[in-house]
Amino acid sequence: MTDATRPTHAAADHPAIPREKVGILLANLGTPDGTDYWSMRRYLSEFLSDRRVIDYPAWKWQPILQGIILTIRPSKSGKAYRSIWNNEADESPLLTITRQQTVKLQAALAQRYGANVMVDFCMRYGNPSTKSKVREMVAAGCTKILFCPLYPQYAGATVATANDQFFRALMDETWQPASRTLPPYFSDTAYIDALAQSVERAYDKLETKPDILVCSYHGLPFRYLTQGDPYHCQCVKTTRLLKERLGWADDKITTTFQSKFGPEKWLQPYTVKHVAALAEAGKKKIAVIAPAFSADCIETLEEINEEIRESFEHAGGESFTYIPCLNDDDAHIGALMGRIEANLAGWL
């Protein structure tokens, strides 16, 4: 390692130690390595075996998962991924976009702090793994790491499980770095402003404005809300803050939840049903945005822009506009920079 040196006054056989740095490790949900059956099965098995995601007892859930779901679902999911796959880079859009976000944040942080920081990204499921990136940061001299789950709203199935995996990775380190985790930033003014700007840009391109904006958030079992998970409340507040920033009336924006899985009652209203109800009620022009996702992925590019669009149009809807996630938009990068710098206080 080029910046590793033997400490002053140390014995001649003392190992070289890299110059101290602060690591900023971005984290997103994850991605399969490919769209084939076995790549999808490995990814789905890791994802759906997470007790933060599916909290049924293992003795009850694993036989169903390994024997039934992972026999059928990989082929279906692989087909969905193939419809949005970045064929040029041979990777999922989530991986491509998270890398682009990282590159922009690397440049911005390097301009401000020089070689004192190291910026990288990892995935909770799949590759690059959290463990591998923590190992790289420690080996590079990061004695402090700010771990940044890229979820504006907190949920046990997103932020908490990402943090869990980060802490597991730290358990394997001989010289464990000091660590912090990025709190949810759903009410951050810069984040809300970035969302609002994306809506305003999309609406400015349309000759006829949508009747309503649907804010579609990833769903969770309703039971999680009753157990104390704040996700639902933070989603509703995100929509309210966006409405206030846009200066809109209550009937111009609504909150829904997508991606229901299994027989349980989930957070409602369900997006796929609600957009059909809107069309049947005479709201023939809608726009949909996904404020819980920091990067476009299978749930936005395939589920919203294909399945949910189809539900709306089948019910008589005439104009469906999907507003992309904030991705590597400069306003989004600026908002993330603000949150990161606030949580680096005292370290740099």
Side-chain angles (χ1 to χ4, degrees), residues 100-156:
Q100 292 167 343
Q101 293 169 329
T102 303
V103 168
K104 284 195 171 183
L105 284 166
Q106 281 173 336
L109 285 158
Q111 184 177 27
R112 187 159 301 186
Y113 302 109
N116 293 323
V117 297
M118 177 179 178
V119 185
D120 210 336
F121 73 93
C122 64
M123 297 291 173
R124 169 60 183 89
Y125 315 106
N127 296 303
S129 70
T130 305
K131 182 176 180 178
S132 69
K133 290 301 178 179
V134 168
R135 181 82 286 277
E136 286 180 21
M137 284 192 160
V138 172
C142 293
T143 56
K144 302 179 180 70
I145 297 177
L146 173 63
F147 185 69
C148 306
L150 293 177
Y151 306 103
Q153 300 82 15
Y154 175 95

Side-chain angles (χ1 to χ4, degrees), residues 37-162:
Y37 175 86
W38 289 108
S39 293
M40 291 303 312
R41 182 173 178 122
R42 283 193 301 272
Y43 172 71
L44 291 171
S45 181
E46 183 182 11
F47 175 43
L48 296 176
S49 294
D50 186 348
R51 290 295 301 275
R52 290 277 195 180
V53 175
I54 306 291
D55 65 352
Y56 301 147
W59 65 265
K60 180 179 181 180
W61 173 240
Q62 283 298 320
I64 298 171
L65 175 63
Q66 302 297 331
I68 301 174
I69 295 173
L70 292 181
T71 300
I72 301 168
R73 189 161 176 141
S75 297
K76 181 180 178 182
S77 295
K79 181 180 179 181
Y81 267 97
R82 281 191 291 276
S83 72
I84 63 154
W85 201 249
N86 180 349
N87 292 310
E88 184 177 347
D90 191 24
E91 63 188 23
S92 73
L94 178 67
L95 183 56
T96 302
I97 294 166
T98 305
R99 183 182 295 107
Q100 292 167 343
Q101 293 169 329
T102 303
V103 168
K104 284 195 171 183
L105 284 166
Q106 281 173 336
L109 285 158
Q111 184 177 27
R112 187 159 301 186
Y113 302 109
N116 293 323
V117 297
M118 177 179 178
V119 185
D120 210 336
F121 73 93
C122 64
M123 297 291 173
R124 169 60 183 89
Y125 315 106
N127 296 303
S129 70
T130 305
K131 182 176 180 178
S132 69
K133 290 301 178 179
V134 168
R135 181 82 286 277
E136 286 180 21
M137 284 192 160
V138 172
C142 293
T143 56
K144 302 179 180 70
I145 297 177
L146 173 63
F147 185 69
C148 306
L150 293 177
Y151 306 103
Q153 300 82 15
Y154 175 95
T158 54
V159 174
T161 190

Side-chain angles (χ1 to χ4, degrees), residues 317-329:
E318 298 170 359
S319 175
F320 182 102
T321 300
Y322 171 62
I323 300 174
C325 293
L326 294 177
N327 297 327
D328 67 341
D329 178 77

Side-chain angles (χ1 to χ4, degrees), residues 100-340:
Q100 292 167 343
Q101 293 169 329
T102 303
V103 168
K104 284 195 171 183
L105 284 166
Q106 281 173 336
L109 285 158
Q111 184 177 27
R112 187 159 301 186
Y113 302 109
N116 293 323
V117 297
M118 177 179 178
V119 185
D120 210 336
F121 73 93
C122 64
M123 297 291 173
R124 169 60 183 89
Y125 315 106
N127 296 303
S129 70
T130 305
K131 182 176 180 178
S132 69
K133 290 301 178 179
V134 168
R135 181 82 286 277
E136 286 180 21
M137 284 192 160
V138 172
C142 293
T143 56
K144 302 179 180 70
I145 297 177
L146 173 63
F147 185 69
C148 306
L150 293 177
Y151 306 103
Q153 300 82 15
Y154 175 95
T158 54
V159 174
T161 190
N163 288 341
D164 289 346
Q165 196 74 345
F166 174 57
F167 299 141
R168 289 189 195 101
L170 293 178
M171 290 171 66
D172 292 332
E173 294 302 323
T174 301
W175 187 350
Q176 196 176 71
S179 62
R180 295 175 180 172
T181 59
L182 190 73
Y185 51 93
F186 66 96
S187 60
D188 179 70
T189 301
Y191 161 70
I192 295 296
D193 196 51
L195 273 182
Q197 289 178 41
S198 73
V199 173
E200 290 166 342
R201 284 195 302 269
Y203 274 46
D204 286 344
K205 295 176 183 177
L206 300 173
E207 289 186 12
T208 305
K209 301 298 182 281
D211 298 315
I212 192 168
L213 175 66
V214 177
C215 294
S216 181
Y217 299 84
H218 197 287
L220 287 176
F222 181 80
R223 173 170 51 85
Y224 291 10
L225 169 62
T226 65
Q227 291 171 348
D229 194 303
Y231 178 71
H232 175 269
C233 301
Q234 293 183 2
C235 291
V236 171
K237 186 170 181 178
T238 302
T239 300
R240 176 176 64 78
L241 293 172
L242 177 59
K243 179 200 70 173
E244 292 171 356
R245 162 58 179 79
L246 291 166
W248 287 1
D250 290 349
D251 63 355
K252 291 297 181 182
I253 191 168
T254 190
T255 297
T256 64
F257 298 90
Q258 65 184 83
S259 308
K260 182 182 183 297
F261 176 79
E264 275 194 83
K265 176 184 176 182
W266 278 41
L267 299 176
Q268 297 186 35
Y270 302 134
T271 305
V272 69
K273 294 182 178 180
H274 193 67
V275 296
L278 287 173
E280 292 165 356
K283 296 189 183 298
K284 303 295 185 180
K285 300 181 292 295
I286 68 169
V288 180
I289 193 171
F293 297 92
S294 63
D296 275 307
C297 55
I298 191 74
E299 286 86 358
T300 63
L301 298 174
E302 194 276 335
E303 186 178 359
I304 290 180
N305 215 18
E306 294 183 25
E307 179 186 346
I308 291 169
R309 176 193 291 269
E310 182 180 331
S311 175
F312 175 69
E313 293 175 347
H314 183 74
E318 298 170 359
S319 175
F320 182 102
T321 300
Y322 171 62
I323 300 174
C325 293
L326 294 177
N327 297 327
D328 67 341
D329 178 77
D330 287 344
H332 187 211
I333 299 302
L336 290 173
M337 269 288 290
R339 288 296 83 218
I340 288 169

